[in-house]
Amino acid sequence: MERSEEAREQEDDKAVLVDGVYQRGPKMSNSDQQVSNGFTTTTTTTTSAAQSTREGQGSGAGSGGPAPGLGHSASVPVGGFRTLVVQQTSLERPRETWSKKMDFLLSVIGYAVDLGNVWRFPYICYQNGGGAFLLPYLLMAVFGGVPLFYMELALGQFHRSGCISIWKHICPIFKGIGFAICIIALYIAFYYNTIMAWALYYLLSSFRPVLPWTTCTNSWNTGNCKSYIWNDRNVTWSNSTTSPAQEFYTRHVLQVHRSDGLHHLGSVSWQLALCLLFIFTIVYFSIWKGVKTSGKVVWVTATFPYLVLLVLLIRGATLPGAWRGVVFYLKPDWQKLLSTPVWIDAAAQIFFSLGPGFGVLLAFASYNPFHNNCYKDALVTSSVNCLTSFLSGFVIFTVLGYMAEMRQQDVDAVAKDAGPSLLFIIYAEAIANMPAATFFAIIFFLMIIMLGLDSTFAGLEGVITAMLDEFPHLLAKRREWFVFGLVCVCYLGALSTLTYGGAYVVKLFEEYATGPAVITVVLLEVIAVSWFYGTNRFCNDVYTMLGFYPGWFWRICWVAICPCFLLFIIISFLASPPDVKLFHYHYPPWTTVLGYCIGVSSFICVPAYMVYYLLNAKGTFKQVHLFISFINPVAFASRTKHGDVGSNN
């Protein structure tokens, strides 16, 4: 009888144990604690009511031994209160976290505020109607960029995964989006860092009493070169006249005159190759250890550009003719808004600047505490980004007005140079004609380098986080070697941009490898999250983290407005491909086909993985025809039932 009673006690205890594990959803009382390694530990207490007929037969709570695989438990005599305490811990490697909240904010701001805010926004602005361009820019920001910026921060913080592995929690069949994002990031690294190499060459050339782009007596100058100083009003300027800054940039730094075009790029410039090697060396030692090291570097690289911008703005505002540039900057040309390319440029600029769809925001947010207010972070950082673009416009256009005054030309004639030429020709020339030119040249090009470094840190960290989360057993303990290999691949991929015709390659990548490809990826991402994963489910995730639901504005943007805007931009781009030209070189028709191939090479990952997923899905096609396996409701239900929402398990 004693053995029978003892066996009955063990069976009852076992029943309570099973109940505590498999039915703890409606009975649990969770106390989630964020630990220093970034993981969430969940302590679950389950209490079984004692039977009233046996209420007086047992009291207290005895401490039992640890249950296998479940932590520790407490048991009591039969008929008493039984309490099961389960502590879930992860067997995975602890996830790295930001040392401080400001490390995260500065990293996001440094990523969002990049070279595009300084050189791309101003020239796109005056090309597309001046002040009138601010209307489509703000509309794209409010209804497209900021909602997607907020969405990516929330997704990364909740699921704590990179841009590849996060899709197993959201919508597995769209996992190809993550691979496409990584390929786009590599394309950007192939040409974006070359611009920093140009800036480094200028920086090294600035450490001399007389800047080399101020005179026409150098070996690279031609007969059309005409130099002037700021107080010389006797110099006449014609359309065939070239400035010393223009010839220094085109004939000495780029040496494009030694290339016939994309069909004949020429050899690699060893000076630029060394400059780019130095840039990638800085990048490697800034990100090789993770966000704890890069988070410290951005305290310098993200704040120094604002100091320089403020100094240049004050200096530019005091130059003669600065008001002409400001008027040109703010005077709207409303007819431009009827042109489709204006809206395409506005969307491309806001997405390229804020950076949704590049995987960086997912990666950065995944290192945040689970209950961090990512909503506030999204509003603050996106606002800083847009205001910086607007401020940079004043910095650039005050100098353009000054140059127009010195040349005795209209501002639009001075502002004919677009893209990086705006910085390396127009602004460099203006600096050369200022008092204390050497000082302003050094801080300006140092600012350009730091703006680019922030974005490179972020872009490569997005790829690194994605690959380490997708292949943790292979790469987690080999991060330094993986980062080294990634940096080497980026350097080798950038060699074509270091040739004499490398500027043509940079322009080709800029036009086709990033803009349309990333907008297509963002479209698929917002559709996958809003329509397949579900807006209500995503809002519940936000509520779990922040304690409040996103408002109707955000829901409408995610479900309808963002997809419509993005689809319109994609269709417009396909209907009217851009007429690409650089300097005096018009890109031949075959380069358009090449550009589309570059763009499709990243996007092809999405349908390719869908086919792979369907072919490897368990069961028949009839069993998955309702997208049950696509949206993975079983996994979500299991995560919700077991109280694992927001954890890394």
Side-chain angles (χ1 to χ4, degrees), residues 76 129 349 373 412 416 439 500:
V76 297
Q349 171 60 23
N373 192 343
D412 55 350
K416 63 181 180 179
F439 169 74
Y500 299 142

Side-chain angles (χ1 to χ4, degrees), residues 185-483:
L186 288 178
Y187 287 157
I188 294 174
F190 290 166
Y191 79 89
Y192 190 81
N193 296 279
T194 300
I195 301 175
M196 285 187 286
W198 300 343
L200 179 59
Y201 193 94
Y202 268 83
L203 177 64
L204 297 176
S205 301
S206 301
F207 288 95
R208 59 186 67 183
V210 179
L211 297 178
W213 58 86
T214 58
T215 63
C216 292
T217 58
N218 303 286
S219 60
W220 57 82
N221 291 125
T222 64
N224 293 327
C225 179
K226 183 175 293 187
S227 62
Y228 62 93
I229 56 178
W230 68 275
N231 58 357
D232 187 0
R233 298 301 185 95
N234 297 322
V235 175
T236 57
W237 204 268
S238 64
N239 292 331
S240 61
T241 304
T242 58
S243 66
Q246 180 178 349
E247 295 198 350
F248 178 81
Y249 177 60
T250 59
R251 299 181 61 84
H252 182 63
V253 179
L254 302 182
Q255 303 183 64
V256 293
H257 64 287
R258 304 177 67 176
S259 171
D260 297 330
L262 286 174
H263 63 283
H264 183 264
L265 295 177
S267 54
V268 174
S269 171
W270 65 269
Q271 298 96 331
L272 293 180
L274 290 178
C275 290
L276 185 62
L277 180 62
F278 182 76
I279 292 294
F280 273 117
T281 301
I282 297 176
V283 170
Y284 174 73
F285 286 107
S286 298
I287 65 176
W288 69 321
K289 292 293 185 182
V291 295
K292 288 190 180 298
T293 55
S294 63
K296 298 296 183 293
V297 177
V298 295
W299 280 82
V300 177
T301 57
T303 57
F304 179 77
Y306 283 96
L307 177 62
V308 177
L309 284 175
L310 182 61
V311 172
L312 293 176
L313 178 61
I314 295 174
R315 185 68 186 97
T318 61
L319 294 173
W323 63 272
R324 297 176 59 187
V326 174
V327 171
F328 184 82
Y329 176 43
L330 297 179
K331 184 179 179 180
D333 182 4
W334 300 109
Q335 293 295 325
K336 289 280 189 178
L337 299 183
L338 301 177
S339 176
T340 301
V342 174
W343 295 87
I344 297 176
D345 287 343
Q349 171 60 23
I350 193 64
F351 286 116
F352 192 82
S353 183
L354 286 179
F358 291 93
V360 175
L361 301 177
L362 293 173
F364 280 172
S366 69
Y367 299 113
N368 273 335
F370 182 69
H371 295 292
N372 174 67
N373 192 343
C374 58
Y375 171 71
K376 181 179 178 181
D377 296 341
L379 294 181
V380 170
T381 52
S382 58
S383 299
V384 169
N385 172 77
C386 294
L387 290 175
T388 304
S389 297
F390 190 65
L391 174 66
S392 300
F394 285 98
V395 174
I396 296 297
F397 278 99
T398 53
V399 173
L400 290 178
Y402 164 69
M403 295 300 301
E405 184 78 9
M406 294 299 99
R407 293 184 180 183
Q408 301 180 22
Q409 291 181 309
D410 295 331
V411 178
D412 55 350
V414 176
K416 63 181 180 179
D417 293 308
S421 301
L422 187 64
L423 298 181
F424 295 109
I425 296 179
I426 300 299
Y427 215 95
E429 181 180 348
I431 289 175
N433 288 277
M434 293 180 185
T438 298
F439 169 74
F440 285 109
I442 291 174
I443 64 171
F444 176 73
F445 291 112
L446 191 60
M447 177 194 71
I448 297 299
I449 294 172
M450 289 191 176
L451 285 172
L453 285 176
D454 286 335
S455 299
T456 298
F457 294 161
L460 294 184
E461 184 60 48
V463 178
I464 294 167
T465 299
M467 300 304 293
L468 264 62
D469 287 346
E470 181 66 13
F471 308 103
H473 302 293
L474 179 63
L475 301 176
K477 295 182 180 180
R478 303 177 179 88
R479 178 188 171 95
E480 292 83 358
W481 286 106
F482 175 71
V483 175

Side-chain angles (χ1 to χ4, degrees), residues 15-27:
V16 173
L17 183 66
V18 173
D19 178 75
V21 174
Y22 292 100
Q23 299 183 18
R24 68 177 186 219
K27 298 181 180 181

Side-chain angles (χ1 to χ4, degrees), residues 34-56:
Q34 188 71 28
V35 294
S36 59
N37 61 12
F39 284 84
T40 303
T41 61
T42 306
T43 303
T44 307
T45 304
T46 306
T47 304
S48 175
Q51 298 179 8
S52 59
T53 57
R54 308 168 70 178
E55 192 171 276

